[in-house]
Amino acid sequence: MQHQSDSIVIIPTYNEKENIEKIIRAVFGLDKCFHILVIDDGSPDGTAAIVKGMMSQEEFADRLFIIERSGKLGLGTAYITGFKWALERDYGYVFEMDADFSHDPNDLPRLYAACADEGYDVAIGSRYVSGVNVVNWPIGRVLMSYFASKYVRLVTGFKVHDTTAGFKCYKRRVLKTIELDKIRFKGYGFQIEMKFTAYKIGFKIKEVPVIFVNRREGVSKMSGGIFGEAFFGVMRLRWDGWTRKYPKIAE
């Protein structure tokens, strides 16, 4: 059975053995056909082996893929590796999504519709476009994330509410146009930088309201260093916004 799709969902993993099979089955259970690319950073818990076991099953063979990297190389580089992989193939829509169910797979078709049907170039699964839609997060974490997004808007003049969101759909031409090798940030700053760059180039961005649920299984990867990168990186982005020559939109 051929599973053709115009969409690839990139899921970076590090020690997600509790979640990975469930999230893959949830995505493949949707009415719309999506392909999945897992990028595993050398998980010692056997996450990659679970994915490869599923790939050997006929029902998943032509729509589930994996890239294994040695060691924790950072979220940003994982996504850029995935973007380049997707661009070498014929996918028209490229998604970013976490493995831990904090992003609801049922929202994927809504992000897809914003780009495929409504004509947007980037769709962001936004926690803050209609209040604060976060479940099970410690209040400190909610405040840090919420005010980080406010801070980014203040410093950059960028109108997106949820600048650190990691649940997104890009049209192919966005990733072709953004000079991926010039993206500097590795952690949460990567999410801000990608959105800001798309905005500066002139792409149309839509925020689609989603509910973000804190992970039920496994361990959170948030750290102070990641937050510091985002905090100081935003000032750097503002400076870039004034001084850098951004590429023209590729058709």
Side-chain angles (χ1 to χ4, degrees):
M1 181 179 169
Q2 282 287 301
H3 296 101
Q4 298 295 331
S5 181
D6 59 355
S7 301
I8 185 85
V9 180
I10 300 172
I11 304 179
T13 54
Y14 184 77
N15 285 354
E16 291 289 357
K17 73 172 193 286
E18 296 97 343
N19 294 307
I20 193 62
E21 180 165 353
K22 285 183 272 189
I23 199 85
I24 289 169
R25 288 186 181 279
V27 172
F28 288 156
L30 297 168
D31 288 341
K32 173 174 169 49
C33 179
F34 292 91
H35 288 182
I36 294 175
L37 171 63
V38 173
I39 300 185
D40 186 70
D41 270 7
S43 298
D45 73 347
T47 299
I50 294 170
V51 177
K52 287 190 286 194
M54 294 178 77
M55 287 168 67
S56 68
Q57 298 171 36
E58 193 177 334
E59 61 178 311
F60 302 124
D62 57 352
R63 54 179 170 161
L64 177 60
F65 309 94
I66 189 168
I67 294 173
E68 293 181 81
R69 308 195 305 167
S70 52
K72 292 181 77 171
L73 300 172
L75 187 71
T77 63
Y79 275 127
I80 285 172
T81 298
F83 295 158
K84 289 178 174 176
W85 185 94
L87 289 175
E88 286 166 7
R89 289 151 182 87
D90 289 334
Y91 296 105
Y93 303 89
V94 181
F95 295 76
E96 293 183 10
M97 184 174 163
D98 290 348
D100 62 9
F101 283 94
S102 51
H103 302 147
D104 184 347
N106 291 310
D107 288 326
L108 285 170
R110 296 171 61 224
L111 296 179
Y112 175 79
C115 291
D117 303 333
E118 296 171 37
Y120 290 92
D121 299 300
V122 182
I124 300 168
S126 176
R127 297 163 290 188
Y128 306 130
V129 74
S130 54
V132 179
N133 293 327
V134 178
V135 179
N136 286 348
W137 255 17
I139 188 67
R141 184 88 188 268
V142 173
L143 291 173
M144 190 164 91
S145 171
Y146 182 73
F147 284 109
S149 278
K150 287 278 192 213
Y151 165 75
V152 174
R153 293 184 69 185
L154 185 72
V155 173
T156 60
F158 182 28
K159 298 295 182 275
V160 166
H161 291 85
D162 194 349
T163 50
T164 57
F167 192 21
K168 302 210 283 297
C169 174
Y170 294 100
K171 266 190 182 152
R172 178 186 185 84
R173 66 181 193 146
V174 178
L175 300 178
K176 274 178 68 177
T177 306
I178 289 177
E179 296 156 306
L180 294 173
D181 291 331
K182 290 189 179 173
I183 298 290
R184 285 190 294 257
F185 300 133
K186 303 285 187 282
Y188 279 73
F190 167 78
Q191 301 293 10
I192 301 168
E193 186 176 7
M194 284 292 293
K195 293 185 193 75
F196 183 72
T197 306
Y199 155 76
K200 290 299 287 187
I201 290 169
F203 286 114
K204 287 166 60 185
I205 299 172
K206 177 172 187 179
E207 289 190 86
V208 175
V210 299
I211 306 287
F212 181 96
V213 181
N214 197 26
R215 61 164 58 242
R216 294 187 286 269
E217 312 271 356
V219 184
S220 173
K221 316 293 192 297
M222 188 80 169
S223 75
I226 291 172
F227 188 68
E229 177 204 70
F231 187 85
F232 293 109
V234 170
M235 296 177 189
R236 189 90 180 266
L237 284 181
R238 174 82 239 209
W239 180 250
D240 278 359
W242 285 325
T243 59
R244 182 180 159 194
K245 195 168 179 345
Y246 288 91
K248 294 278 182 284
I249 294 178
E251 283 311 319

